[in-house]
Amino acid sequence: MIEFNNVTKIYKKTFTAVKDINLKIDNGEFIFIVGKSGAGKSTLIKLLLREISPSQGIITYNNQDINKIRKRSVAEYRRHIGFIFQDYRLLPKMTVYENIAFAMEMICCQAKNIRREVPLVLSMVGLSDKAKYYPDELSGGEQQRVAIARAIINKPETVIADEPTGNLDTETSKEIMKILSEVNRRGTTVIMATHDREIVNHFQRRVVELKNGIIIRDIKAGGYSDEPKED
Amino acid sequence: MNPKKISYIFKQAFKSMWRNRMMGIASIGSVTAVLIILGFVLIIVLNVNNMAMVAKETFDQIAVYIAEGVEEKQIEEMGNSFRQIDGVLGVAFQTKDYALESVKEDWGEDAILLQDLRNNPFPDTYIVQLSDVSKSDEVIAKLETFEGVDRVRYYQDAVNTLIKLSDFVKRFGAAIIIVLLLISVFIISNTIKITVLSRQREIELMQYIGATNGYVRGPFILEGVMLGLLGSVVAILLIMLGYNYSINYLAGRYVALISGMSGYLVGVEMVINDLIIIFMTIGIGIGILGSLVSLKKFLSI
Ligand SMILES: Nc1ncnc2c1ncn2[C@@H]1O[C@H](COP(=O)(O)OP(=O)(O)O)[C@@H](O)[C@H]1O
Ligand SMILES: [Mg+2]
């Protein structure tokens, strides 16, 4: 369970990026964080990943104040979370298989387990036949699928994605969303930041909407608010 | 640690050392420079101290040089008076001819250099044996009052000079070494910085994944260790060659001139084991320190 209690983040002492955030995310939820570019979505995610610390307020993960985690235990904390970037961030000199195996090697795992697990995740994201490909031989959608496989290979409790479909067309985005839904269906909490109306409206999940760093809406299941389109 | 992790760390460390070899050579060179200077200082201090030790054995003798042209009879009387001085055990006389002969013997082949001497430059000398070293100052003061005494030489002076020299070398050396140590740490940290930056994407990713510290830091620390170690190996080889060469050169050519110093020098085989341990420790230390400095600066966690 994740909780934000009165969290404010002020950059460079003057710029308030998010303000008075109160947010509770239960295990197993699927939640969209939406809002225009600059609304503070990434800031919220960075706070949760403990990349940055809040200026005020407390963030807890499973009732632990994450800003009280010692520096050398941050790595351990992050193993609870699989992270997906907008720009995929695959290592270019490694094959699809190696990119996924890398994430496993980094935190544990006997070779035997790696050989068993990687093909399973690959088949889940539908890339069994591309294991030996290099990232630059894949389409954007395929690269993002590899990134999802990498994010879930260590069976994290939570998957966080910051604009995972930001670089993809609508059709490909829907494929990515299908996979994330499947990840969520298997019990993983999924938190996804996006400004993509179509996706949000299509999936009808919990939506937390930010505007100028403030939560203006938090609904159980629904779409984007009906503001006129701007982006 | 599992073998996979070790092989990953080694692979990354070697890869970046190769990719970044010019900076690597500069790093190794800086470590070598520090260690060679350290080696110089150690060797000089060691040898000077050794000389002082050997010289101490002749502590209880004072050489009294007799002025040119003093009558034989007066010389004899002087000897008798010397014996009366409190603190003197005995007195032995060495003629100037004896002094010349013994030097010729010491020099061996080089004695040819002395053949052209028209006059014997060595003085007649009394060797005064002390019964009590603590009285040396009083004895010397008295000896100097005698008419016909040209100069009084006491080895303690030489020993003191040697000890002062070794102190000076120690201090001066320590200052230079500290400065050079800092410079090497700086150079190595810059080398590692380049590696950190060139692998930034991978490192960032590893930090998001929650990679263990060993995976994130291991390769950089190892790279620092290798640079330091290589620097120390080069320094050890250079010092060994250089020291051996200098000792042989000195022993073969000049030692006779500095009156039989061969016994005063410390052979390379006596110091090399300690030197290897000291150098490797310091080399590795510099490497680790350089890596840590860089990691602290450039890794967010
Ligand atoms: N490191 C930073 N320093 C200063 N301002 C920042 C920093 N990061 C983000 N901001 C500002 O905070 C606001 C929110 O940014 P962000 O959370 O990235 O928004 P979003 O992800 O919703 O587009 C933006 O106006 C951005 O310029
Ligand atoms: Mg953003």
Side-chain angles (χ1 to χ4, degrees), chain A residues 49-51 71-72 74-76 78-79 81 83 85 87 89-94 99 102-103 105-109 111 114 150 154, chain B residues 2 4-5 7-8 11-12 15 19 199-217 296 299-301:
Chain A
L49 289 170
R50 206 185 180 280
E51 248 185 276
K71 256 190 171 185
R72 69 184 130 89
V74 168
E76 213 172 295
R78 289 194 178 157
R79 284 177 220 157
I81 300 169
F83 191 61
F85 309 84
D87 57 355
R89 304 228 189 152
L90 302 176
L91 296 175
K93 286 182 186 153
M94 291 186 188
N99 263 285
F102 178 76
E105 280 165 23
M106 286 303 117
I107 70 169
C108 56
C109 302
I114 295 177
R150 181 181 62 193
N154 294 315
Chain B
N2 60 39
K4 245 203 149 89
K5 187 167 181 176
S7 92
Y8 173 83
K11 213 171 101 193
Q12 292 303 331
K15 225 196 219 159
R19 211 186 287 143
R199 285 184 58 214
Q200 207 170 25
R201 276 182 79 87
E202 187 178 344
I203 300 296
E204 229 172 68
L205 184 67
M206 285 163 76
Q207 290 182 323
Y208 277 115
I209 291 171
T212 56
N213 234 342
Y215 270 112
V216 179
R217 283 156 192 265
K296 187 148 182 66
L299 285 192
S300 46
I301 52 166

Side-chain angles (χ1 to χ4, degrees), chain A residues 180-204:
Chain A
L180 286 177
S181 296
E182 174 60 17
V183 169
N184 176 245
R185 201 190 57 77
R186 294 183 183 191
T188 308
T189 309
V190 176
I191 301 170
M192 172 171 161
T194 184
H195 63 266
D196 187 333
R197 266 161 211 284
E198 210 175 325
I199 294 282
V200 176
N201 291 336
H202 184 264
F203 278 85
Q204 296 289 307

